[in-house]
């Protein structure tokens, strides 16, 4: 199937880029600080987003034979992967290339309003830019404009419009409308969201020439604007491209800069898991609703019990008509107002009667029925269900329910319907604001009733239950109908992960894939509730698999501690030492005195004359240089006017006093900072003699601006928000490593091929009965066996434990979490009170030199050096040494072996 193989197609632009420029060279592309620093710091930039920025910068900055102006690029990225954040970063980079005018368009007003909030409303929870946008030492504003004639040449100017309105404006003459002629004079970046809607002409096999002549469709309108100026750029964003369609495939192969689909997104742990919750055929609609309410309330109670702030949303979906949705709304309110203990007990009986009503993504019965778990929970905490009923009545009261179908518009037709009156417009805007802020603590809405209005452009992370309140199919010839396809897409949108922090784990990723019995898995799962219909389930599941939202086959493997280990009390009570992730206490740091600028490093500022020279390549005549030699002079910052310094400080938000005070405790004001800190620094100025002797005010200002940016970066390097404690504290082994661990794998995961069950079965030094590791980890275990006889000469109780995310340590510098693949514990043979604990991390070639992984090997070396000459003493006579070894890599095994011998066998390196 084309859709499944397109990722590897050599003609795909992203693959050609890697082939032509080289994957490793792509890794070395530097993302300018002003891009990352100008994005809202609350949105942590993920690895795939960094790779997207690098690909974009590489494409625009390097020369390739396949580049053709005007540039047209596609970002085919999964729902929930942060496409709008990528848009914001691309806009920042394009500003630095001289672009000032941006035309954002999509198919519906809700998407337009949501994006305006993302780009313009700094008080919005989803605002994507930093408080101050700073590019090349200038503060930049993001402005909405109605046309580019009113644009400010110093700012980012964005016109927001639906594609319908844009098409009509260019097709029909009228006052205050954009015209193609008016656009020709500007170089414009077109930013198209939900771009899969812009291919109607391609679908009907229009040639490019015909496209530019046609006036009847949106795709022609976009093409004409793009072609109106050779320097224009079109950036299209969508999660949904029909790669099976040959015409669309041919259009986008040469334009798809990034392909990060839902399958990758899910496998990387950034989405919720999806569970299809099927109820018995005879169930009444009111009981289907009540089941979802109980499960949803249980989800909130689990979160509350774990100090997680969560308000889970339920979406009740009607089939075709608004009237049907209104009836659901009325029925729901009746259920809540009349809710009694009898209703709860009726659902409980139903659940007990059919204990296995929950299906996993394979259509098989799931071991855990979360509704059954809910009743077990309430039977312990609330036997009469009085508190449960009270909470449901409060949380699902009428003022916390929203029917979004009251005022609608048709986003599918070329001509946008007009609203009936201003009240409808205001009501619609109010609804959109509610829908776009459902995650906000100030938004109390808990249930949404809809038909199709939310199928696209709705971004919500705390949607956890979708209830299908109808039982129809529209399949044709064993192929899922449009309704089922739309439902699968809606489920995909709802699968966006709700971030939460617990035990120092990554808040943006799933944490409990391999803890199937943990109630916290409920916070990482979206449930789709419907009446059981086997044909429908098959069709829906097929669409979910096709989109990558669920895996075709999940393989579950269970690893167990060997009996010899499990029954060995001495082993199970071993002490394992770990450090903690702590929020930085700024009072502990004297940041200013530790920056390199005050420790012998000197800041250099170059004055560029702007003079150039041109010589003939084959001219034998002697050449006289018109470029004069440069000289150097060192000046103190105190020599520069305070007005210049103050203006430069105002230009960088970092140097606002309240923020600066966190880093430099002993200052009382900005004037104090200038007088007693900044003025003590020297600047080395380099330039032509005349420029040095006549050091202009403009150059003085630029020099101070660049110096301040250097100071900012050095202070940030000294202090980070979190740190890993230098102290390692003991935990009992049996509290960390479970006697039994359930692992889930996608069916094509290579780790399944490396179980090594037979190899490690009789190895007394390996703790678990199997290992599902990478080839690199398998190679390490085989190498380790070769050292056993030498280790046994020096140690007793040699135990190697595979760490399946059970144990975490935290980088000293910034508190970043690290889960080493193996823990080796040893006791000294001559003195059993002396213990060693070794962290080991095998790493393949593709990751060993990855900048995102480099910190781990540096951290392991820091652990080794910190404990080089000392033991941790515990209970008077016991001593423990904590050791970190460098990455193990098969190709560099000899180097690792030398370090291993030197560190643990006390032999010198070869």
């Amino acid at each position: 199937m084309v859709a499944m193989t397109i990722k590897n197609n050599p003609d795909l632009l992203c693959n050609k880029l890697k082939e032509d420029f080289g994957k490793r060279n792509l890794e070395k592309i530097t993302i300018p600080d002003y891009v990352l620093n100008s994005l809202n710091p609350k949105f942590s930039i993920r690895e795939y987003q960094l790779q997207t920025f690098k690909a974009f910068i590489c494409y625009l900055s390097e020369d390739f034979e396949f580049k053709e102006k005007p540039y047209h690029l596609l970002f085919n990225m999964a729902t929930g992967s942060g496409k709008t954040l990528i848009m914001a970063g691309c806009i920042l980079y394009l500003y630095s290339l001289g672009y000032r005018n941006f035309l954002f368009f999509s198919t519906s007003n809700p998407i337009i309003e949501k994006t305006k909030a993302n780009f313009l409303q700094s008080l919005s929870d989803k605002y994507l830019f930093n408080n101050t946008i700073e590019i090349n030492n200038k503060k930049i504003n993001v402005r909405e404009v109605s046309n580019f004639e009113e644009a400010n040449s110093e700012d980012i100017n964005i016109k927001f419009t639906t594609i319908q309105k844009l098409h009509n404006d260019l097709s029909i003459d009228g006052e205050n409308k954009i015209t193609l002629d008016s656009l020709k004079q500007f170089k414009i970046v077109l930013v198209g969201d939900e771009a899969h809607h812009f291919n109607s002409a391609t679908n009907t096999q229009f040639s490019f020439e015909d496209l530019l002549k046609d006036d009847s469709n949106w795709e022609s309108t976009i093409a004409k604007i793009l072609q109106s100026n050779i320097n224009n750029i079109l950036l299209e964003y969508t999660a949904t491209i029909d790669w099976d369609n040959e015409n669309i495939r041919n259009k986008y192969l040469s334009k798809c800069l990034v392909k990060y689909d839902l399958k990758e997104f899910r496998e990387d742990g950034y989405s919720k898991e999806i569970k299809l919750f099927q109820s018995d055929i005879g169930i009444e609609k009111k009981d289907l609703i009540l089941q979802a309410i109980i499960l949803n309330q249980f989800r909130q109670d689990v979160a509350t019990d774990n100090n997680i702030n969560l308000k889970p949303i339920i979406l009740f979906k009607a089939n075709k008509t608004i009237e049907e949705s209104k009836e659901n709304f009325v029925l729901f309110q009746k259920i809540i107002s009349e809710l009694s203990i009898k209703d709860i007990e009726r659902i409980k009986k139903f659940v007990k009667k059919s204990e296995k009503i929950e299906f996993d993504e394979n259509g098989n019965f799931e071991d855990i029925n979360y509704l059954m778990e809910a009743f077990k929970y309430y039977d312990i905490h609330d036997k009469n269900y009085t508190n449960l009923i009270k909470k449901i009545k409060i949380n699902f009261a009428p003022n916390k329910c929203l029917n979004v179908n009251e005022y609608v518009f048709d986003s599918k037709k070329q001509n946008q319907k007009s609203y009936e009156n201003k009240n409808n417009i205001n009501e619609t805007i109010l609804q959109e604001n509610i829908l776009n802020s459902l995650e906000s603590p100030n938004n109390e809405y808990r249930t949404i009733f809809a038909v199709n209005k939310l199928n696209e452009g709705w971004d919500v992370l705390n949607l956890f239950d979708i209830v299908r309140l109808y039982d129809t199919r529209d399949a044709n010839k064993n192929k899922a109908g449009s309704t089922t396809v739309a439902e699968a897409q809606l489920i995909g949108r709802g699968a966006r992960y709700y971030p939460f922090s617990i035990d120092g784990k990554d808040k943006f990723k799933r944490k409990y894939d391999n803890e199937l019995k943990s109630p916290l898995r409920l916070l990482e799962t979206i449930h789709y509730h419907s009446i059981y219909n086997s044909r429908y389930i098959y069709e829906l599941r097929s669409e979910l698999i096709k989109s990558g939202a669920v895996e075709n086959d999940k393989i579950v493997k269970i690893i167990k501690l060997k009996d010899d280990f499990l029954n060995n009390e001495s082993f199970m009570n071993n002490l394992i030492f770990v450090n903690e992730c702590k929020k930085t206490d700024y009072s502990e740091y004297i940041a200013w005195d530790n920056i390199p600028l005050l420790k012998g490093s000197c800041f250099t500022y170059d004055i560029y004359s702007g003079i150039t020279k041109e010589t003939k390549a084959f001219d034998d005549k002697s050449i006289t240089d018109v470029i004069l030699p440069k000289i150097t002079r060192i000046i103190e910052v105190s020599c520069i006017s305070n007005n210049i310094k103050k203006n430069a400080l105002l230009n960088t938000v970092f140097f606002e006093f309240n923020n600066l005070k966190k880093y430099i405790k002993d200052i009382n004001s900005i004037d104090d900072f200038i007088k007693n800190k900044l003025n003590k620094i020297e600047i080395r100025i380099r330039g032509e003699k005349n420029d040095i002797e006549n050091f202009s005010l403009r150059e003085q200002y630029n020099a101070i601006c660049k110096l301040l940016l250097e100071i900012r970066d050095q202070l940030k390097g000294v202090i980070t928000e979190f740190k890993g404690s230098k102290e390692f504290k003991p935990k009992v082994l049996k509290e960390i490593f479970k006697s039994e661990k359930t692992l889930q794998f996608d069916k094509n995961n290579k780790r399944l091929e490396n179980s090594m069950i037979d190899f490690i079965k009789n190895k007394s030094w390996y703790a678990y009965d199997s290992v599902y590791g990478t080839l690199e980890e398998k190679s390490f275990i085989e190498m380790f066996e070769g050292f056993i006889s030498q280790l046994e000469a020096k140690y007793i109780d040699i135990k190697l434990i595979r760490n399946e995310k059970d144990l975490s340590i935290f980088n000293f510098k910034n508190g970043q979490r690290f889960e080493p693949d193996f823990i080796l514990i040893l006791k000294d043979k001559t003195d059993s009170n002396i213990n060693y604990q070794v962290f080991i991390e095998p790493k393949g070639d593709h990751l060993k030199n990855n900048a995102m992984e480099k910190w781990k090997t540096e951290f392991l070396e820091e652990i080794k050096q910190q404990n080089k000459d000392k033991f941790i003493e515990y209970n008077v006579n016991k001593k423990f040494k904590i050791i970190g070894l460098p990455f193990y890599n098969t190709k560099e095994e000899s180097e690792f072996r030398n370090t291993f011998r030197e560190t643990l066998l006390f032999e010198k390196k070869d």
Side-chain angles (χ1 to χ4, degrees):
M1 205 172 146
V2 174
M4 302 302 289
T5 59
I6 192 70
K7 182 81 177 174
N8 300 318
N9 191 314
D11 293 327
L12 199 67
L13 175 59
C14 52
N15 293 334
K16 289 177 74 173
L17 197 68
K18 289 173 186 173
E19 178 68 25
D20 197 85
F21 193 63
K23 192 171 182 180
R24 288 195 176 182
N25 288 327
L26 201 55
E27 286 284 340
K28 293 176 183 176
I29 290 286
T30 301
I31 303 169
D33 286 344
Y34 60 75
V35 171
L36 300 180
N37 292 338
S38 294
L39 294 171
N40 192 330
K42 74 178 276 189
F43 300 109
S44 178
I45 308 297
R46 301 168 182 174
E47 172 63 15
Y48 65 84
Q49 292 169 333
L50 291 173
Q51 297 305 319
T52 297
F53 286 139
K54 287 183 178 183
F56 183 65
I57 292 166
C58 179
Y59 182 86
L60 292 180
S61 61
E62 301 293 333
D63 290 326
F64 302 102
E65 288 183 2
F66 45 79
K67 279 172 69 171
E68 185 177 341
K69 282 192 168 187
Y71 301 142
H72 178 181
L73 299 172
L74 171 71
F75 296 77
N76 184 198
M77 302 178 72
T79 297
S81 61
K83 292 188 291 296
T84 318
L85 183 69
I86 296 296
M87 287 180 201
C90 291
I91 286 171
L92 291 168
Y93 182 72
L94 288 167
Y95 179 93
S96 73
L97 300 185
Y99 287 87
R100 300 291 184 268
N101 302 313
F102 298 83
L103 177 60
F104 178 89
F105 56 94
S106 191
T107 54
S108 70
N109 273 317
I111 295 175
I112 297 299
E113 293 305 318
K114 176 199 67 142
T115 310
K116 283 184 182 181
N118 293 152
F119 286 170
L120 302 173
Q121 296 173 17
S122 59
L123 297 180
S124 167
D125 291 337
K126 297 184 180 181
Y127 182 63
L128 294 175
F129 294 109
N130 210 334
N131 291 331
T132 297
I133 300 172
E134 192 175 300
I135 300 176
N136 298 331
N137 299 327
K138 288 194 305 183
K139 286 186 178 178
I140 306 301
N141 296 311
V142 179
R143 305 169 65 244
E144 180 181 6
V145 296
S146 58
N147 59 66
F148 295 124
E149 281 82 1
E150 65 184 47
N152 185 324
S153 62
E154 296 299 313
D155 291 329
I156 293 169
N157 306 279
I158 309 178
K159 176 174 175 57
F160 297 90
T161 180
T162 61
I163 184 62
Q164 300 94 321
K165 187 174 188 310
L166 181 63
H167 175 78
N168 289 342
D169 283 354
L170 265 68
S171 302
I172 305 168
D173 291 335
E175 192 175 350
N176 295 324
K177 290 188 175 182
I178 293 178
T179 65
L180 198 56
D181 286 338
S182 70
L183 293 176
K184 285 180 181 177
Q185 60 184 304
F186 304 104
K187 65 175 187 179
I188 298 169
V189 179
L190 295 89
V191 183
D193 195 16
E194 302 293 351
H196 54 284
H197 288 299
F198 311 146
N199 290 307
S200 58
T202 298
N203 271 325
T204 52
Q205 297 183 310
F206 266 57
S207 69
F208 186 71
E209 292 75 18
D210 290 339
L211 196 63
L212 295 178
K213 295 175 186 176
D214 187 69
D215 292 322
S216 64
N217 64 77
W218 299 343
E219 191 174 1
S220 297
T221 297
I222 296 166
K224 287 176 184 177
I225 298 174
L226 177 63
Q227 294 294 326
S228 68
N229 188 317
I230 193 67
N231 292 309
N232 284 351
I233 297 176
L234 170 58
L235 306 178
E236 292 190 297
Y237 298 81
T238 183
T240 313
I241 284 290
D242 185 5
W243 290 107
D244 288 336
N245 183 307
E246 184 180 359
N247 297 324
I248 290 175
R249 185 167 69 251
N250 290 337
K251 173 181 175 177
Y252 283 118
L253 273 176
S254 62
K255 299 174 177 64
C256 184
L257 182 71
V258 179
K259 178 142 185 41
Y260 184 71
D261 55 31
L262 192 54
K263 184 175 187 293
E264 287 180 273
F265 188 59
R266 177 181 52 77
E267 289 174 351
D268 288 345
Y270 289 113
S271 70
K272 301 185 189 97
E273 288 289 5
I274 296 168
K275 298 295 180 186
L276 306 180
F277 195 100
Q278 308 302 301
S279 294
D280 203 4
I281 295 172
I283 192 171
E284 293 185 28
K285 185 184 283 190
K286 67 177 184 179
D287 288 340
L288 186 63
I289 290 172
L290 190 50
Q291 279 185 174
I293 292 171
I294 294 170
L295 183 59
N296 190 270
Q297 184 57 50
F298 175 49
R299 187 179 270 111
Q300 186 177 44
D301 289 334
V302 168
T304 302
D305 290 348
N306 288 276
N307 297 314
I308 296 166
N309 185 17
L310 170 65
K311 179 198 66 179
I313 301 294
I314 311 179
L315 171 63
F316 291 99
K317 187 88 164 54
N319 187 11
K320 291 182 178 179
T321 69
I322 294 171
E323 193 59 40
E324 181 187 341
S325 185
K326 288 180 179 178
E327 290 171 5
N328 293 336
F329 187 74
V330 171
L331 174 61
F332 177 87
Q333 293 185 330
K334 186 173 187 291
I335 292 169
I336 299 301
S337 65
E338 298 176 358
L339 186 62
S340 66
I341 294 172
K342 285 184 179 180
D343 294 320
I344 304 294
E345 289 177 339
R346 185 177 70 255
I347 298 299
K348 181 180 178 180
K349 283 180 184 176
F350 173 78
V351 173
K352 277 193 170 182
K353 197 166 80 173
S354 51
E355 288 190 7
K356 292 180 177 178
I357 62 169
E358 187 174 6
F359 289 70
D360 68 11
E361 56 265 31
N362 301 315
N364 302 316
F365 288 115
E366 180 77 319
D367 291 333
I368 295 177
N369 181 323
Y370 283 113
L371 198 53
M372 177 65 71
E373 293 300 307
F375 280 109
K376 288 179 184 177
Y377 174 89
Y378 292 121
D379 284 345
I380 294 170
H381 295 91
D382 183 20
K383 275 195 173 181
N384 296 321
Y385 307 132
T386 51
N387 285 333
L388 172 61
I389 292 170
K390 187 185 295 184
K391 282 190 282 191
I392 288 174
K393 283 180 175 288
I394 292 171
N395 291 334
F396 298 94
N399 65 331
K400 295 174 184 176
C401 304
L402 179 67
N403 188 336
V404 300
N405 302 295
E406 299 290 339
Y407 306 99
V408 297
F409 55 88
D410 191 342
S411 66
K412 301 296 181 185
K413 295 184 179 179
Q414 297 277 352
N415 294 312
Q416 181 69 42
K417 286 185 179 178
S418 60
Y419 294 98
E420 291 180 8
N421 55 54
K422 288 184 179 179
N423 289 334
N424 288 6
I425 295 174
N426 292 334
E427 180 70 21
T428 301
I429 292 171
L430 176 63
Q431 284 186 5
E432 288 166 1
N433 289 337
I434 292 168
L435 291 169
N436 290 331
S437 63
L438 284 169
E439 297 140 31
S440 169
N442 300 321
N443 184 324
E444 294 188 345
Y445 283 89
R446 194 70 181 267
T447 59
I448 309 296
F449 290 80
V451 184
N452 295 317
K453 189 175 179 181
L454 303 179
N455 286 3
E456 276 190 351
W458 186 36
D459 298 332
V460 60
L461 305 179
N462 55 335
L463 175 63
F464 280 91
D465 294 277
I466 301 174
V467 187
R468 185 182 194 257
L469 293 174
Y470 51 94
D471 183 27
T472 56
R473 294 172 52 238
D474 61 352
N476 184 24
K477 296 180 180 178
N478 294 320
K479 184 178 179 182
S482 59
T483 301
T484 306
V485 172
E487 287 163 351
Q489 291 172 350
L490 178 62
I491 294 169
R493 298 196 74 81
R496 295 164 184 256
Y497 189 77
Y498 180 83
F500 62 91
S501 296
I502 193 166
D503 298 333
K505 296 177 180 178
D506 187 340
K507 67 183 292 185
F508 297 103
K509 282 190 170 186
R510 291 194 308 276
K511 307 157 188 63
Y512 299 97
D513 283 3
N514 292 323
E515 296 183 37
L516 300 185
K517 296 181 180 178
S518 170
L520 286 164
R521 287 193 77 225
L522 193 56
L523 309 189
E524 302 186 334
T525 304
I526 182 171
H527 283 84
Y528 186 75
H529 305 254
S530 68
I531 295 170
Y532 179 68
N533 180 323
S534 61
R535 293 294 299 275
Y536 168 72
I537 288 300
Y538 172 79
E539 292 155 8
L540 179 63
R541 182 173 164 269
S542 297
E543 286 301 312
L544 290 169
I545 291 169
K546 182 180 176 183
S547 69
V550 300
E551 180 59 36
N552 193 4
D553 290 302
K554 282 273 189 184
I555 308 296
V556 175
K557 295 291 183 181
I558 297 174
I559 62 172
K560 298 179 181 180
L561 278 175
K562 293 174 181 173
D563 290 341
D564 290 348
F565 287 75
L566 194 58
N567 299 324
N568 183 335
E569 192 171 329
S570 174
F571 170 76
M572 296 302 288
N573 289 312
N574 258 306
L575 294 180
I576 298 291
F577 285 77
V578 294
N579 69 339
E580 298 174 328
C581 179
K582 293 185 173 182
K583 199 160 181 69
T584 297
D585 181 355
Y586 287 86
S587 65
E588 295 178 1
Y589 287 88
I590 306 174
W592 181 257
D593 293 340
N594 289 311
I595 63 174
L597 282 171
L598 297 180
K599 290 190 166 188
S601 173
C602 187
F603 177 73
T604 300
Y605 176 74
D606 286 303
I607 302 174
Y608 295 101
S609 67
I611 298 174
T612 61
K613 70 176 181 179
E614 184 176 295
T615 61
K616 293 182 180 178
F618 301 102
D619 194 340
D620 291 332
K621 296 177 182 178
S622 62
I623 301 167
T624 303
D625 250 341
V626 295
I627 295 182
L628 301 174
K630 293 194 172 186
I631 63 171
T632 298
R633 177 175 295 174
I634 293 178
I635 67 165
E636 290 186 352
V637 171
S638 58
C639 297
I640 295 175
S641 161
N642 274 359
N643 285 336
I644 288 176
K645 287 176 280 198
K646 285 183 178 180
N647 279 322
L649 284 163
L650 288 171
N651 204 35
T652 306
V653 70
F654 179 86
F655 289 96
E656 291 175 358
F657 179 71
N658 288 339
N659 186 64
L660 193 59
K661 181 77 172 173
K662 290 195 301 186
Y663 293 84
I664 311 173
K665 294 293 177 187
D666 59 342
I667 58 170
N668 301 312
S669 64
I670 290 296
D671 287 335
D672 187 16
F673 167 69
I674 293 172
K675 180 180 178 182
N676 295 308
K677 303 296 181 185
L678 190 59
N679 280 351
K680 304 293 173 67
I681 294 176
E682 294 179 332
I683 301 178
R684 180 190 291 117
I685 304 169
R686 192 164 52 198
E688 293 179 6
K689 184 178 180 182
N690 184 57
D691 292 330
I692 295 290
E693 292 176 350
N694 299 285
F695 193 27
S696 70
L697 296 179
R698 168 53 64 184
E699 293 294 352
Q700 290 178 43
Y701 173 78
N702 288 341
I704 293 296
C705 283
K706 291 199 172 182
L707 171 63
L708 289 173
L709 292 176
E710 183 65 23
I711 291 171
R712 178 196 68 186
D713 293 343
Q714 290 190 13
L715 284 172
K716 283 184 173 181
V718 173
I719 303 181
T720 56
E721 187 178 358
F722 296 94
K723 66 174 185 176
S725 63
K726 292 291 181 78
E727 181 185 4
F728 282 71
K729 294 181 179 179
K731 287 189 174 183
V732 180
L733 184 143
K734 63 185 176 185
E735 294 175 358
I736 299 176
F737 295 102
K738 309 286 193 305
S739 60
E740 183 178 296
K741 187 88 174 174
T742 303
L743 308 178
Q744 286 192 98
F745 300 97
D746 294 331
K747 65 174 183 177
N748 296 320
N749 195 312
K750 297 293 183 185
R751 288 177 62 181
L752 290 167
E753 301 172 8
N754 304 315
S755 66
M756 301 184 75
I757 293 174
D758 292 334
F759 181 82
I760 62 175
K761 182 166 52 179
N762 298 316
K763 302 293 188 287
S764 62
W765 44 266
Y766 194 82
Y768 282 99
D769 61 1
S770 55
V771 56
Y772 295 92
T774 63
L775 285 173
E776 214 66 34
E777 290 159 4
K778 180 180 178 182
S779 178
F780 161 72
I781 292 171
E782 291 170 344
M783 183 224 70
F784 179 82
E785 187 196 25
F787 276 106
I788 288 298
S789 59
Q790 297 170 67
L791 289 170
E792 287 175 341
K794 291 186 178 291
Y795 303 99
I796 57 174
D797 289 345
I798 301 164
K799 309 298 180 193
L800 184 67
I801 309 170
R802 174 75 165 94
N803 178 30
E804 291 284 357
K805 300 184 181 298
D806 297 300
L807 177 147
S808 300
I809 52 179
F810 301 91
N811 191 8
F812 296 143
K813 292 176 182 174
N814 57 16
Q816 202 165 351
R817 186 187 192 87
F818 178 29
E819 296 156 343
D821 286 331
F822 293 96
I823 315 298
L824 172 63
I825 54 178
L826 311 156
K827 288 183 188 293
D828 192 289
K829 195 168 188 176
T830 58
D831 185 349
S832 61
N833 286 320
I834 297 177
N835 301 269
Y836 295 84
Q837 175 183 315
V838 189
F839 297 121
I840 302 169
E841 177 83 356
K843 198 67 73 175
D845 287 342
H846 65 299
L847 293 173
K848 179 175 63 71
N849 298 314
N850 188 312
M852 302 294 287
E853 298 287 329
K854 187 180 177 184
W855 69 270
K856 292 180 182 177
T857 194
E858 292 171 351
F859 178 36
L860 290 168
E861 178 62 23
E862 287 181 76
I863 292 173
K864 180 181 175 183
Q865 293 303 321
Q866 173 180 288
N867 299 287
K868 189 174 184 180
D869 300 314
K870 70 174 184 181
F871 285 84
I872 299 172
E873 295 191 7
Y874 186 80
N875 277 358
V876 184
N877 60 343
K878 284 189 177 293
K879 295 181 178 180
F880 294 83
K881 175 166 279 197
I882 315 299
I883 298 170
L885 291 179
F887 286 163
Y888 168 84
N889 178 263
T890 307
K891 291 181 181 176
E892 298 174 5
E893 185 177 293
S894 60
E895 188 176 334
F896 180 89
R897 292 167 72 93
N898 283 337
T899 304
F900 190 92
R901 286 194 196 97
E902 181 187 40
T903 307
L904 297 175
L905 300 175
F906 313 114
E907 299 174 4
K908 290 186 177 180
K909 290 185 180 183
D910 293 344

